[in-house]
Amino acid sequence: MGLRLVFLGPPGAGKGTQAKRLASQRGLAHVSTGDMLRSAVARGTEAGKKAKAIMDSGGLVPDEVVLEMVKERLDTDAAEGFILDGFPRTTKQAEDLEKTLADRSQALDAVVNFALPIDRAIQRFAGRRSCPKCGEVYHIEAKPPKMHGACDKDGTALVQRPDDSPTVIRTRMAEYEDKTLPLILYYMREGLLLEVDADGDIEEVYGRLDHAVSQREAGER
Ligand code: AP5
């Protein structure tokens, strides 16, 4: 049976970057609510229409909209193990997740908190570029594409996310501190929290993550 993990951390901490790699190494589904919402916005679905203005302003999309999207994945490709990246983000979402998993006779194995000072996270946004077609994420210095400005996978011109502007970043950080930070204590109390120092290059952070998750697995066996 695959692992069931949650990735927590401030915007820009590198959750998505590390989740893609660990998911592919361990055969887990990468369930990113941010990616799902961006895809819904691009396709103009009902959920996308509800989410667009909220995401553009840096606020949080209503809990029930996000929960429905997550449930759909838990019943399909994520049924055998997953990394939830960017969910839960509020105490209500954490409680709903626990109930949703219990209904399926499942539980989380660990919650990884990517610890990064907020000023270091802010530095990462300026250099982030992503592919509007496949969602691959780059950084102009830390993870540059092979060809300037083009996606390695499909050659599409890379773009900056609309919510990576300085004003929206301030709102996203405030939302994180107000609504998501309390989850660290919530999961610490549940005995699920694993701290990973996210200040370092992508390889270093992956090494720390892999080590922390492997130790937890060994402890569970
Ligand atoms: P979402 O897409 O989840 O955004 P986020 O949590 O703000 O996280 P980011 O994607 O900005 O950062 P990340 O930690 O994944 O970092 P990344 O790996 O890209 O959510 C967007 C919006 O959707 C929210 O604001 C909200 O409106 C809505 N939403 C989503 N989930 C929701 C929920 N559950 N409830 C309600 N609303 C929700 O890395 C950042 C950059 O740094 C990249 O360029 C990367 O290449 C680079 N990088 C990564 N690691 C390193 C490193 N170690 N060193 C140097 N550079 C690095």
Side-chain angles (χ1 to χ4, degrees):
M1 188 61 75
L3 288 165
R4 297 192 173 90
L5 304 174
V6 162
F7 281 10
L8 281 182
K15 303 180 295 294
T17 302
Q18 300 296 339
K20 279 195 184 88
R21 183 158 165 192
L22 192 73
S24 121
Q25 291 290 316
R26 309 256 177 151
L28 304 172
H30 174 209
V31 181
S32 157
T33 43
D35 286 352
M36 284 190 276
L37 286 165
R38 279 183 286 279
S39 159
V41 169
R43 287 180 287 120
T45 66
E46 274 313 304
K49 283 180 200 153
K50 279 187 203 156
K52 186 176 180 338
I54 301 171
M55 291 173 79
D56 286 350
S57 70
L60 292 187
V61 173
D63 293 333
E64 61 279 8
V65 173
V66 189
L67 181 67
E68 274 319 300
M69 291 179 149
V70 171
K71 277 184 177 170
E72 218 175 286
R73 297 286 300 275
L74 293 178
D75 290 332
T76 53
D77 65 308
E80 299 299 324
F82 55 73
I83 299 174
L84 291 178
D85 161 15
F87 179 92
R89 246 173 160 102
T90 63
T91 305
K92 169 86 172 66
Q93 290 181 13
E95 290 164 355
D96 285 344
L97 174 63
E98 200 174 330
K99 182 173 182 317
T100 301
L101 290 175
D103 288 345
R104 290 156 178 76
S105 307
Q106 297 175 356
L108 294 175
D109 293 298
V111 173
V112 179
N113 181 46
F114 289 88
L116 188 69
I118 285 196
D119 57 322
R120 300 281 293 131
I122 286 174
Q123 287 168 8
R124 292 188 182 168
F125 291 116
R128 173 158 60 186
R129 301 290 181 275
S130 46
C131 175
K133 192 170 171 194
C134 71
E136 188 62 24
V137 176
Y138 300 87
H139 188 278
I140 50 175
E141 284 158 11
K143 191 188 167 199
K146 292 192 184 89
M147 218 172 69
H148 178 74
C151 178
D152 292 349
K153 291 188 172 166
D154 50 39
T156 305
L158 300 178
V159 295
Q160 279 190 279
R161 261 171 54 176
D163 60 346
D164 274 354
S165 73
T167 328
V168 181
I169 287 170
R170 271 197 292 279
T171 308
R172 287 167 60 199
M173 288 297 182
E175 286 283 78
Y176 167 76
E177 290 189 330
D178 185 31
K179 295 177 180 150
T180 311
L181 208 53
L183 292 184
I184 296 178
L185 196 57
Y186 179 97
Y187 284 120
M188 199 183 277
R189 286 192 184 123
E190 305 260 316
L192 287 169
L193 200 73
L194 296 178
E195 283 279 340
V196 168
D197 178 3
D199 200 358
D201 66 32
I202 292 174
E203 281 304 315
E204 277 171 332
V205 178
Y206 185 74
R208 291 173 196 151
L209 168 66
D210 190 44
H211 180 71
V213 171
S214 300
Q215 281 211 319
R216 172 58 57 101
E217 274 180 305
E220 279 181 359
R221 271 199 288 269

